[in-house]
Amino acid sequence: MATQPSLPINVCIIEDHADFRNTLRTAIDRTPTLSCFSAFSNAEDAFEHLSQSSSPDIIVLDLGLPGIDGIEAIPRLKELAPEAKVLILTVFENKTRVFQALGAGASGYLMKASGIKSIIQGIEDAHNGIAPLSADIAQMVFATFSAFKPQTNEAEISEREVEVLRKLADGSTRIEIADQLNISRHTIDSHVRNIYRKLHVHNVSGAITKAAAMHII
């Protein structure tokens, strides 16, 4: 029994620049796996059409639209076409715009400067569950999330260093700690230097304060 050919991915374009819209529409229709479902110059016309039509698979959305802004349009598009994935295609690299779009429900964010070939690949990736991001956008997103990585015991304070920290917090001197732990003063000094380096501090009070805030002691 012959295998039924898979249906093409239906794409809706919302882009106000006529030349770019037509270029993208032609490229989509020339791609065997894709088909241009419809194309509009503004969000309002797209809303009207989607309210009376079946949902596309992918909506390619420009942000700088006349009338309703692209970011404002995303929730309404998701309401009218809940099965569709919204793929941003724009010239804006502004971090705020990127996170506003992704936060509003966009499934990917591509730059027009990436070129038609990359855009076509991004549409196919979005349909296959891969969130397409232009290289610069991906770097921005990952850098932002890395900056907000929670501070935990990843400083890798050893058990012995924690023991030294606790004794310092109790008011013991380094000589006293060396005697209590039956190790040399040189070893205690080495532990303290490691603690300072791992906690990014420069004195005992700073180490104790930070260790307490991180629930190390």
Side-chain angles (χ1 to χ4, degrees):
M1 187 174 180
T3 303
Q4 285 290 101
S6 58
L7 295 174
I9 301 165
N10 283 323
V11 182
C12 171
I13 303 170
I14 307 175
E15 162 64 56
D16 65 318
H17 290 92
D19 288 344
F20 188 81
R21 183 172 67 248
N22 293 333
T23 297
L24 182 56
R25 182 169 198 164
T26 299
I28 288 171
D29 283 335
R30 286 179 177 172
T31 303
T33 55
L34 306 178
S35 175
C36 188
F37 176 86
S38 51
F40 306 96
S41 62
N42 58 74
E44 291 87 340
D45 288 346
F47 294 161
E48 183 177 353
H49 178 81
L50 291 172
S51 67
Q52 304 171 25
S53 174
S54 58
S55 173
D57 298 306
I58 302 289
I59 297 173
V60 176
L61 176 66
D62 184 23
L63 291 187
L65 295 171
I68 296 177
D69 176 79
I71 290 174
E72 294 177 70
I74 294 172
R76 180 63 174 153
L77 292 171
K78 299 289 287 182
E79 179 184 331
L80 292 170
E83 302 302 318
K85 293 178 180 176
V86 179
L87 178 59
I88 301 301
L89 181 58
T90 185
V91 296
F92 293 108
E93 291 186 68
N94 179 278
K95 183 187 292 187
T96 300
R97 301 282 281 178
V98 171
F99 284 101
Q100 284 177 338
L102 295 176
S107 296
Y109 199 109
L110 297 177
M111 305 303 299
K112 291 180 180 178
S114 300
I116 293 296
K117 185 176 179 181
S118 293
I119 294 167
I120 294 298
Q121 183 62 59
I123 292 171
E124 293 180 332
D125 286 347
H127 182 69
N128 292 323
I130 302 169
L133 296 173
S134 292
D136 290 345
I137 300 300
Q139 187 174 9
M140 180 192 302
V141 171
F142 295 141
T144 299
F145 280 108
S146 294
F148 286 97
K149 185 168 60 177
Q151 201 170 45
T152 65
N153 293 7
E154 66 181 8
E156 297 178 353
I157 303 294
S158 70
E159 289 183 12
R160 178 64 90 183
E161 288 163 355
V162 170
E163 198 171 10
V164 170
L165 266 170
R166 285 175 177 154
K167 291 185 178 298
L168 287 170
D170 288 339
S172 297
T173 66
R174 296 190 190 190
I175 293 175
E176 290 170 341
I177 296 170
D179 289 339
Q180 292 165 11
L181 299 181
N182 196 29
I183 55 179
S184 71
R185 166 65 188 271
H186 174 76
T187 301
I188 291 295
D189 288 341
S190 178
H191 284 318
V192 171
R193 283 195 300 271
N194 287 336
I195 290 166
Y196 287 178
R197 175 178 56 80
K198 292 176 180 180
L199 294 181
H200 305 289
V201 297
H202 305 286
N203 52 51
V204 170
S205 61
I208 293 169
T209 300
K210 193 162 187 179
M214 295 173 69
H215 305 291
I216 293 173
I217 59 174

